[in-house]
Amino acid sequence: MRNFLARRLRVAAGVLLGSLSAVAELAMTLASGLWLLVTLGRSADDRRGETQILAVARWWAEVQRRRMARWYDTGTADLAAPLTGMPALSYVATRWTVGLLGGVVLLAAAIGAGYASLLVWGWFLVDLDQWPLVIAPATFGGLFLLFLCIQGVHAVALMDEQLIRHFLGPSDRQTLERRIGELAKSRAGVVEAVHDERRRIERDLHDGVQQRLVALGMLLGRARRTPDPEKSSELLRQAHEESQQALVELRDVAWRVYPAALDEGGLAAALETVAERASIPVRLSCELRDTPPPTAQAVAYFVAAEAVTNAVKHSGAEQVTVRADRTGELLRLRVEDDGRGGADASGSGLLGLSRRIAALDGTLSVASPAGGPTIITAELPCA
């Protein structure tokens, strides 16, 4: 509730600043329109002031963009400063209407708040005999008006954000080019991640399972050549133990490649295997009302497994918390440990995870200040 009120107040403050800006924008619009009208048909030397007007419009549009990025919970922070003056001037010439609308809504909200608070101070002004007939309807009407104005403030903020995107946002061609660049980068990242995974599997097989099998073959060869039955029996016992260890390491390699629990029980079961195999306590919270796509589940599993492994090996953590939930079309995984912190997001392990996540248009964030805690958050679209 407190966060909701804080967000509403922050948006209202942004709308208030925008309404105050409307006066300056209206003056700039009238002045620029008059100047362009007076200088219409003149030579370029006589219209040098036009460049200054466009420069001021660009500066003002950038100020408004920063205002929205600061006070609104919108994505205007990713908009670049206007590159040319005419779109910025068109934006300034249009935005003052939204600013005035925001001022009217805020004024109505203040009036509604005044009437809604009559229960507190109205009895000083109204005769007690007429109090129920005057105060009650006025208070109810004020509360209703205040409710409508709260929704109106949010609507004005959305209009403000849509307006700046219309005039200063990227064109369809620019959006398509940026998307093509993102896809090319994510494809290269996936190829590199697959290459790294193959090298890791080869290294695990060469350094682990292959060495076990070589030792197993040597033990069996010695058992066949020895004439002593007792020594042969001892060598066969060692060979049997070596084969058991080889099976364990082979299962570990297969588990790191792709856990069968994902297909059998879904992400929740796979995360339980991660917790069971960890050498420190792992608290799990998996709230998935709908089953995410298999690719999203697999990536979420690998993120959790890598994060828990790093916490065990490098952070000195005593406990790890893994939380998975799905909100709408977004699968969110959060892994937090109480270790010493200082995790490097550009390390080979986390870099490979970020490439996997980027292939699904997801995001990976790592917060690991010195002294901890380390929080790794992955967000994966499930559309």
Side-chain angles (χ1 to χ4, degrees):
M1 185 63 179
R2 180 180 300 177
N3 292 336
F4 174 80
L5 292 177
R7 287 196 300 268
R8 291 293 182 176
L9 291 176
R10 187 167 64 249
V11 172
V15 171
L16 176 60
L17 293 175
S19 65
L20 296 177
S21 302
V23 179
E25 290 165 351
L26 180 58
M28 291 170 59
T29 301
L30 295 176
S32 59
L34 181 61
W35 176 267
L36 294 176
L37 183 62
V38 171
T39 59
L40 185 63
R42 295 187 179 182
S43 62
D45 293 336
D46 295 333
R47 300 182 64 183
R48 289 191 297 268
E50 181 177 341
T51 303
Q52 298 177 355
I53 292 175
L54 297 180
V56 172
R58 289 181 57 192
W59 172 79
W60 188 260
E62 174 64 12
V63 169
Q64 296 304 313
R65 186 196 66 83
R66 293 183 180 181
R67 173 182 62 85
M68 295 181 202
R70 170 64 178 83
W71 296 102
Y72 297 168
D73 292 329
T74 60
T76 53
D78 61 347
L79 290 178
L83 300 178
T84 59
M86 286 309 299
L89 183 60
S90 301
Y91 167 71
V92 172
T94 308
R95 207 215 72 84
W96 67 268
T97 57
V98 178
L100 290 182
L101 178 61
V104 172
V105 172
L106 291 175
L107 179 60
I111 295 174
Y115 276 102
S117 62
L118 281 176
L119 286 176
V120 178
W121 57 271
W123 61 279
F124 285 105
L125 305 177
V126 180
D127 189 0
L128 294 180
D129 295 335
Q130 300 179 353
W131 192 89
L133 299 176
V134 176
I135 297 298
T139 302
F140 176 78
L143 288 173
F144 185 69
L145 178 60
L146 184 60
F147 170 77
L148 293 179
C149 290
I150 291 175
Q151 305 304 318
V153 167
H154 184 67
V156 170
L158 289 178
M159 292 174 59
D160 215 355
E161 188 263 345
Q162 292 174 1
L163 189 66
I164 195 172
R165 283 194 175 276
H166 175 74
F167 285 102
L168 305 182
S171 63
D172 293 340
R173 179 183 179 85
Q174 291 173 331
T175 302
L176 182 60
E177 291 177 350
R178 183 175 62 180
R179 181 58 179 163
I180 292 174
E182 292 175 352
L183 291 176
K185 183 179 180 181
S186 63
R187 183 186 66 177
V190 169
V191 172
E192 186 66 24
V194 171
H195 181 62
D196 293 341
E197 190 69 15
R198 287 174 177 171
R199 288 190 297 181
R200 185 188 64 79
I201 295 173
E202 188 277 334
R203 185 171 59 251
D204 291 342
L205 291 175
H206 180 272
D207 297 342
V209 179
Q210 179 176 323
Q211 299 299 324
R212 294 286 183 184
L213 293 178
V214 170
L216 175 61
M218 294 178 62
L219 289 172
L220 291 177
R222 291 175 60 191
R224 290 181 58 187
R225 292 192 300 269
T226 182
D228 188 354
E230 293 184 0
K231 187 174 182 181
S232 177
S233 177
E234 176 63 21
L235 291 172
L236 289 174
R237 185 188 63 79
Q238 295 179 13
H240 181 264
E241 293 178 354
E242 199 69 29
S243 67
Q244 296 298 318
Q245 292 295 327
L247 285 175
V248 171
E249 294 188 4
L250 187 59
R251 291 194 192 100
D252 289 340
V253 173
W255 179 73
R256 287 193 292 269
V257 172
Y258 188 86
L262 270 177
D263 294 332
E264 298 172 356
L267 181 59
L271 292 180
E272 288 179 0
T273 61
V274 173
E276 292 172 356
R277 299 173 72 92
S279 59
I280 61 176
V282 177
R283 297 176 56 187
L284 289 179
S285 175
C286 194
E287 301 176 358
L288 301 176
R289 298 178 181 178
D290 300 324
T291 303
T295 52
Q297 293 190 70
V299 172
Y301 159 78
F302 283 114
V303 171
E306 182 70 22
V308 172
T309 300
N310 289 342
V312 172
K313 290 183 176 180
H314 307 297
S315 72
E318 297 180 356
Q319 180 174 281
V320 180
T321 302
V322 179
R323 180 177 293 106
D325 59 74
R326 181 174 178 178
T327 305
E329 299 298 329
L330 194 66
L331 172 62
R332 181 181 293 104
L333 181 78
R334 175 187 170 97
V335 182
E336 179 178 355
D337 67 67
D338 57 358
R340 66 178 65 94
D344 184 10
S346 61
S348 58
L350 293 178
L351 183 59
L353 293 179
S354 65
R355 289 170 175 167
R356 287 176 180 263
I357 294 173
L360 299 182
D361 289 334
T363 59
L364 178 70
S365 62
V366 180
S368 183
T374 297
I375 302 175
I376 298 175
T377 305
E379 294 184 345
L380 301 166
C382 299

